[in-house]
């Protein structure tokens, strides 16, 4: 059984399925080959997430996966129709697998039940086991997000960046292997302690940049050329509101967390009066939030031909002017190169530094 | 007061209805001229680089209308059918456009779940100014209107709908015009002809045919005066009288603004007609049959235009009840169009080795010569296959 990759989502998802008694084949990390496979077999104008998830499936099936678990949707973003088209493509390529689609109830309810039955069917007699598996996976997701936030915050304040990165990688490894719910906190505390020791307290105010945009492109660092890491290495603190747990809360557990949607609506309504699918509205809302909370700059990451983000991108110049907030839109596709992205980020950070010096000089006078 | 209606995007479906609505509301609807170089260039300059050509063209039309009109209509057609969407860009359209038109108010035609509007309103300096919100009775009316899917009042913005507070009359006019217009499209009229008929051009053989008969067409025009077929898309000419048989029947699928904006698609339709082809488009097919053709799809397609394209392509390939099929299928899409990237893939897979199939992607650099050469080559292919089938 396999699933599409999106950042660190493989750790909690793998935990969940393993605990439920399935054999999991996580897709290998994104490499040049992943790009090549995706571009070769996907339609030309499909967005990068489509191509990359398709390549994920191919690589995982080659490694022995027999079923693919993925989410669906009811539009208008293309994501909801990925699975059907990808299945056709893979079928024509001669790959044989079972598609387990988790569509939101209402669209394809029968399909949802079939998939859930497959996933949980073995354990229906032991609801305790399902509950434990879900709780462990969720706890892992929460700690991963928390650790990621901490890492992003401390990386610019650390002198030995290499050591910090190794600490973080170690944490990820331990986290993936850990099976005891109560030890997760200890693992996290160890990381926090180690990172704290590395950080220099005397660092002055560092630049803060907020990342907004399409969730897959933000979270999957193999696709966005490790943008967050690059910024951190340059001494910039990266904040973002998009994360695994946020996505689950805002989309799967909508009823339990109405605040997310409300916040997005309230912040974005003067600029974008309707929802546009995907994360278009969140992008606007979070940019407004960045503007009012004196973040130094905003980086929008979007895949080429992404419809919701294009709408947001058309409106961002206005926000930029209103809040005096520099915005960089990174449109990425398979032709983007790491060097190009790095250069643009460097130039952007230079611009932010200069702007802040100017602002501070003005405030001093 | 002049209200500008951009001749772009879904104008090709709803233009006459919009015109009738504002006409009945006591305003003067003005439709922008057909797309030309100046309009396109203005749109290209103002829009985000990566967005698709039709949206850029729409923005160009708005900028053009802004020069002469007091307000510009920008529809927000979130969805025109149940459980379906148009396109994310259409939902954000008013927000994208209104920042480019600082001087001219934007009238937003807002509909979801059907074509008729839930609200017609104007944002003013970011705040929604809606007359119906000011009184309790008005609020109740709006709630009722939204619940029943039909708006009760058109919003009053500095006298936009002066003397016509109740929008019942305009709504009825819009509904009627829309019914007439879609009826004409179904009978095989192309949008420009159908719009002309709606505008009062006599619907007689003389009226339309003289106006739009393409030069050098080898095809016999049916008696109703339409270029397509009289009542349905039944290819009567194929069976009834072989003498009048058009040499080839070409099915075109794609979004209406790609098919019918002859500047954007460098006149594909006209070219095909000059080559003596009979043209079929999704708009000429009855909605119910498209729905029938799409039964058994693993998941319903939630983009209206994509659904029509796939359904039409299926009908063209495997026509129901012994009607003649098409000799070739052309899929016309805009470069970087999101839904079409996936729908195109589905169509391509289904057409594989069945009928000649051509995919055309339009962008601002599309040149007439290159496109027409490809079409000629495609027609040779389609024609050859058809003859072989005759033997």
């Amino acid at each position: 059984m396999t699933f599409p990759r999106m950042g660190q989502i493989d750790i909690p998802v793998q935990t969940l399925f393993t605990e439920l008694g399935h054999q999991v084949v996580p897709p290998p990390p994104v490499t040049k080959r992943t790009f090549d496979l995706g571009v070769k077999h996907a339609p030309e104008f499909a967005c990068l997430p489509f191509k990359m998830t398709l390549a994920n499936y191919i690589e995982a099936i080659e490694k022995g996966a027999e079923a693919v678990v993925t989410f669906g949707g009811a539009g208008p973003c293309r994501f909801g129709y990925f699975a059907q088209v990808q299945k056709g493509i893979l079928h024509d390529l001669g790959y044989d697998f079972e598609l387990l689609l988790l569509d939101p109830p209402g669209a394809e309810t029968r399909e949802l039940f079939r998939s859930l039955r497959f996933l949980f069917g073995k354990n229906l007699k032991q609801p305790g086991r399902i509950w434990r598996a879900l709780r462990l996976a969720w706890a892992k997701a929460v700690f991963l997000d928390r650790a990621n936030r901490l890492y992003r915050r401390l990386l610019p304040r650390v002198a030995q960046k290499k050591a910090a990165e190794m600490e973080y990688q170690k944490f990820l490894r331990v986290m993936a292997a850990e099976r005891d719910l109560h030890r997760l906190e200890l693992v996290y505390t160890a990381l926090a302690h180690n990172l704290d020791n590395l950080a220099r307290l005397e660092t002055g105010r560092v630049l803060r940049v907020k990342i907004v945009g399409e969730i897959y492109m933000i979270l999957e660092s193999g696709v966005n050329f490790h943008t967050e890491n690059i910024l951190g290495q340059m001494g910039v603190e990266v904040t973002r509101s998009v994360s695994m747990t946020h996505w689950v809360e805002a989309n799967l557990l909508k009823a339990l967390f109405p605040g997310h949607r409300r916040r997005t609506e309230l912040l974005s309504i003067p600029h974008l009066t309707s929802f546009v699918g995907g994360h278009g509205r969140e992008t606007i809302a979070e940019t407004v939030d960045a503007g009012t909370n004196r973040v130094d700059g905003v980086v929008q990451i979007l895949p080429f031909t992404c419809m919701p983000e294009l709408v947001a991108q058309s409106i961002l110049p206005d926000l930029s002017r209103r809040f005096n907030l520099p915005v960089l839109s990174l449109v990425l596709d398979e032709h983007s190169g790491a060097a190009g992205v790095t250069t643009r980020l460097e130039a952007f950070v230079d611009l932010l530094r200069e702007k802040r010096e100017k602002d501070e000089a003005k405030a001093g006078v | 007061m002049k209200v500008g209606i951009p001749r772009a995007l879904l104008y090709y479906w709803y233009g006459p209805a919009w015109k009738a609505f504002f006409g009945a509301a006591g305003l003067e609807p003005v439709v922008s001229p057909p797309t030309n170089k100046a309009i396109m260039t203005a749109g290209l300059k103002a829009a985000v680089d990566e967005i698709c050509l039709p949206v850029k063209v729409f923005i160009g039309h708005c900028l053009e209308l802004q020069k002469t009109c007091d307000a510009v209509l920008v529809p927000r057609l979130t969805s025109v059918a149940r459980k379906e969407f148009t396109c994310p860009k259409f939902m954000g359209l008013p927000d994208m456009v209104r920042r480019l038109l600082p001087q001219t108010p934007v009238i937003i035609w807002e509909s979801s779940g059907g074509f008729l509007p839930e609200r017609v309103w104007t944002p003013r300096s970011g705040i929604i100014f809606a007359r119906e919100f000011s009184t309790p009775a008005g609020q109740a009316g709006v709630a009722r209107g939204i619940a029943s899917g039909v708006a009760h009042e058109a919003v009053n913005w500095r006298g936009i709908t002066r003397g016509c507070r109740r929008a019942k009359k305009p709504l009825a006019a819009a509904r009627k015009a829309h019914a007439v217009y879609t009826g004409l499209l179904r009978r095989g009229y192309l949008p420009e002809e159908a719009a002309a008929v709606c505008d009062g051009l006599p619907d007689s053989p003389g009226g339309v045919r003289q106006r739009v008969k393409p030069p050098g067409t080898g095809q016999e025009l049916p008696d109703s005066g339409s270029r397509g077929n009289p009542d349905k898309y039944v290819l009567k000419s194929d069976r009834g009288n072989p003498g009048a048989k058009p040499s080839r029947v070409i099915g075109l699928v794609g979004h209406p603004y790609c098919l019918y904006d002859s500047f954007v698609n460098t006149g594909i339709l006209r070219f095909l007609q000059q080559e003596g082809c009979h043209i079929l488009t999704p708009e000429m097919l009855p909605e119910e049959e498209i729905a029938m053709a799409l039964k058994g799809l693993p998941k319903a397609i939630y983009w209206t235009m994509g659904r029509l394209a796939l359904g039409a392509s299926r009908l063209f390939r495997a026509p129901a009840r012994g009607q003649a099929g098409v000799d070739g299928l052309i899929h016309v899409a805009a470069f970087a169009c999101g839904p079409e990237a996936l729908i195109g893939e589905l169509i391509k897979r289904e057409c594989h080795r069945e009928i000649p199939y051509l995919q055309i992607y339009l962008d601002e650099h599309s040149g007439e010569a290159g496109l027409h050469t490809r079409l000629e080559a495609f027609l040779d292919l389609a024609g050859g296959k058809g003859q072989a089938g005759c033997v």
Side-chain angles (χ1 to χ4, degrees):
Chain A
M1 166 173 310
T2 190
F3 51 88
R5 264 186 96 80
M6 186 170 83
Q8 292 148 359
I9 208 170
D10 50 341
I11 296 177
V13 173
Q14 192 176 353
T15 308
L16 176 65
F17 291 156
T18 318
E19 292 292 315
L20 287 175
H22 297 286
Q23 244 186 348
V24 183
V25 185
V30 175
T31 55
K32 179 87 175 44
R33 178 156 185 272
T34 320
F35 271 92
D36 289 344
L37 278 175
V39 171
K40 191 171 155 199
H41 298 305
E44 195 182 352
F45 299 123
C47 52
L48 205 49
F50 181 95
K51 296 175 181 170
M52 302 315 284
T53 47
L54 180 72
N56 281 161
Y57 300 155
I58 294 179
E59 288 187 323
I61 292 171
E62 281 171 356
K63 283 173 74 184
E66 286 162 337
V68 170
V69 184
T70 184
F71 280 105
C77 168
R78 273 177 288 181
F79 179 70
Y81 223 78
F82 272 16
Q84 280 75 15
V85 179
Q86 282 168 335
K87 193 180 178 186
I89 294 175
L90 290 174
H91 188 77
D92 284 4
L93 288 174
Y95 292 108
D96 195 27
F97 65 96
E98 181 85 11
L99 178 70
L100 297 174
L101 194 57
L102 298 174
D103 254 331
E108 297 286 318
T109 317
R110 204 183 300 161
E111 184 77 20
L112 175 71
F113 276 120
R114 195 180 70 88
S115 306
L116 288 180
R117 214 188 149 79
F118 190 94
L119 290 178
F120 297 107
K122 275 193 216 163
N123 306 302
L124 276 184
K125 297 252 164 64
Q126 306 152 273
R129 191 171 176 193
I130 297 181
W131 171 244
R132 270 198 303 281
L134 283 173
R135 237 177 88 187
L136 182 64
W138 179 249
K140 277 195 182 184
V142 169
F143 277 116
L144 281 170
D145 274 350
R146 223 197 269 176
N148 188 261
R149 202 152 52 225
L150 182 80
Y151 177 63
R152 275 181 290 148
R153 185 170 161 72
L154 287 181
L155 189 60
R157 298 181 169 84
V158 166
Q160 301 134 295
K161 304 237 187 307
K162 205 80 214 171
E165 213 176 321
M166 280 178 42
E167 280 298 335
Y168 186 61
Q169 294 300 340
K170 199 178 102 197
F171 163 78
L172 292 183
R173 273 198 306 277
V174 176
M175 207 60 170
E178 190 56 65
R179 286 192 61 191
D180 186 354
L181 179 67
H182 303 289
R183 285 185 50 83
L184 294 180
E185 182 135 21
L186 291 181
V187 179
Y188 172 74
T189 329
L191 171 83
H193 184 72
N194 290 343
L195 283 183
D196 250 355
N197 280 348
L198 287 169
R200 292 177 306 177
L201 291 175
E202 68 272 19
T203 323
R205 194 184 157 227
V206 294
L207 283 175
R208 274 168 75 216
V209 165
K210 186 159 201 168
I211 292 195
V212 298
E214 201 276 328
I215 181 165
Y216 178 85
M217 300 301 288
I218 295 179
L219 293 188
E220 180 52 59
S221 53
V223 177
N224 65 26
F225 303 101
H226 306 276
T227 301
E228 289 178 0
N229 214 358
I230 294 175
L231 285 170
Q233 304 280 359
M234 283 190 242
V236 177
E237 183 186 332
V238 177
T239 60
R240 60 170 151 86
S241 65
V242 183
S243 69
M244 284 185 277
T245 46
H246 181 270
W247 185 83
V248 172
E249 283 176 8
N251 290 282
L252 301 183
L253 310 173
K254 248 187 270 188
L256 296 180
F257 298 90
H260 289 308
R261 201 171 137 226
R262 198 168 155 68
R263 169 188 146 93
T264 305
E265 273 176 11
L266 284 178
L267 284 174
S268 66
I269 215 151
H271 310 281
L272 183 60
T273 37
S274 82
F275 91 113
V276 291
H279 281 71
R281 206 161 190 193
E282 278 82 354
T283 298
I284 296 295
E286 295 308 324
T287 310
V288 172
D289 174 75
T292 42
N293 286 324
R294 307 233 325 271
V295 173
D296 292 289
V298 167
V299 177
Q300 185 202 13
I301 306 184
L302 65 152
F304 181 58
T305 75
C306 176
M307 303 176 284
E309 291 300 322
L310 274 173
V311 175
Q313 196 193 348
S314 310
I315 301 170
L316 281 183
D318 272 9
L319 299 180
S320 175
R321 212 170 307 128
R322 171 175 284 192
F323 295 110
N324 190 16
L325 175 76
V327 176
L328 173 70
S329 289
L330 277 182
V331 187
L332 298 179
D333 68 357
E334 60 269 18
H335 304 299
S336 309
V341 172
T342 314
T343 315
R344 288 173 70 187
L345 287 176
E346 274 170 4
F348 186 64
V349 170
D350 281 349
L351 182 142
L352 294 183
R353 287 232 159 82
E354 206 156 297
K355 176 170 171 290
R356 199 172 76 184
E357 273 165 26
K358 251 190 221 159
D359 288 351
E360 274 170 5
K362 220 191 266 167
V365 171
Chain B
M1 173 154 173
K2 284 183 183 168
V3 175
I5 301 176
R7 191 192 290 267
L9 294 183
L10 286 186
Y11 169 83
Y12 297 98
W13 278 0
Y14 302 126
W18 288 330
K19 257 163 102 174
F21 181 88
F22 290 108
L27 305 167
E28 189 188 340
V30 180
V31 180
S32 59
T35 316
N36 56 40
K37 188 119 206 239
I39 290 179
M40 188 144 126
T41 320
L44 292 183
K45 270 189 194 153
V48 178
D49 291 340
E50 282 88 8
I51 216 154
C52 65
L53 181 62
V55 172
K56 288 175 179 169
V57 168
F58 182 89
I59 290 173
H61 277 280
C62 291
L63 293 173
E64 175 75 20
L65 285 168
Q66 171 202 24
K67 294 175 194 161
T68 51
C69 298
D70 304 308
V72 177
L73 169 78
V74 182
R76 187 203 305 281
L77 300 160
T78 305
S79 102
V80 294
R82 214 172 78 82
K83 279 198 178 180
E84 281 177 14
F85 294 100
T86 48
C87 166
K89 289 169 200 165
F90 288 18
M91 303 178 194
L93 205 55
D95 299 296
M96 286 197 275
V97 170
R98 79 175 186 227
R99 48 177 287 267
L100 299 169
L101 309 171
Q103 307 301 327
T104 320
V106 167
I107 299 179
I108 301 178
W109 171 290
E110 198 158 295
S111 47
S112 59
F115 157 64
L116 288 169
E118 284 176 351
R119 292 195 286 172
V120 181
W121 57 283
T122 304
R124 193 161 130 222
S125 53
I127 300 158
I128 299 167
F129 177 83
R131 186 185 180 84
E132 61 251 52
F133 289 125
S134 54
T135 62
Q139 282 166 1
V142 170
R144 252 204 324 279
I146 288 175
S148 63
V150 181
H152 267 231
E153 284 187 332
V155 170
N156 200 336
W157 186 85
R158 285 197 197 155
I160 273 187
T161 50
R162 193 166 21 214
C164 180
R165 279 223 204 118
R166 293 247 154 219
K168 258 190 193 151
K169 213 171 67 183
L171 276 177
R175 195 183 290 130
K176 192 175 159 218
H178 185 60
V180 170
Y181 180 69
T182 40
L184 288 170
L185 288 184
R186 202 135 297 161
R187 281 163 59 191
Y189 285 67
L190 292 179
E192 46 188 297
E193 305 159 5
V197 173
C198 283
D199 279 351
L201 203 70
D203 184 11
S204 65
V208 176
R209 198 198 291 172
Q210 273 172 16
R211 202 179 134 112
V212 298
K213 184 176 178 184
T217 307
Q219 164 189 343
E220 278 300 309
L221 287 162
D223 285 335
S224 75
S226 77
R227 205 180 310 167
N229 286 288
D231 10 70
K232 270 197 159 189
Y233 67 106
V234 191
L235 298 179
K236 245 192 227 157
S237 46
D238 257 7
R239 32 195 71 242
N241 46 353
K245 182 184 177 233
S247 60
R248 276 153 299 195
V249 184
I250 300 294
L252 290 128
V253 293
H255 292 187
Y257 43 86
C258 294
L259 291 179
Y260 301 126
D261 191 329
S262 57
F263 186 78
V264 167
N265 66 24
T266 68
I268 292 177
L269 292 191
R270 205 177 317 126
F271 178 81
L272 287 174
Q273 279 172 341
Q274 280 167 3
E275 293 289 318
C277 297
H278 183 98
I279 293 172
L280 288 177
T281 60
E283 280 74 25
M284 297 177 191
L285 304 177
E287 184 87 4
E288 313 80 58
E289 291 196 17
I290 289 184
M292 284 289 284
L294 286 175
K295 277 214 174 129
L297 213 62
K299 179 176 186 174
I301 298 178
Y302 47 71
W303 301 288
T304 305
M305 287 174 281
R307 180 175 64 83
L308 290 181
L310 184 64
S313 79
R314 283 189 172 183
L315 279 183
F316 289 154
R317 275 189 306 120
R321 293 197 297 280
Q323 291 145 0
V326 296
D327 297 313
L329 186 67
I330 303 182
H331 182 212
V332 187
F335 176 78
C337 174
E340 291 293 83
L342 299 190
I343 301 296
E345 184 72 21
L346 291 176
I347 297 179
K348 190 169 88 186
R349 258 159 221 288
E350 291 188 353
C351 285
H352 194 51
R353 300 215 188 101
E354 259 188 48
I355 53 167
Y357 171 68
L358 175 69
Q359 221 167 5
I360 293 179
Y361 284 109
L362 304 165
D363 68 2
E364 51 266 44
H365 310 296
S366 299
E368 200 176 309
L371 215 51
H372 288 183
T373 313
R374 283 178 68 191
L375 282 174
E376 270 168 10
F378 174 75
L379 287 180
D380 286 346
L381 188 75
K385 195 153 179 177
Q387 278 152 17
C390 282
V391 176

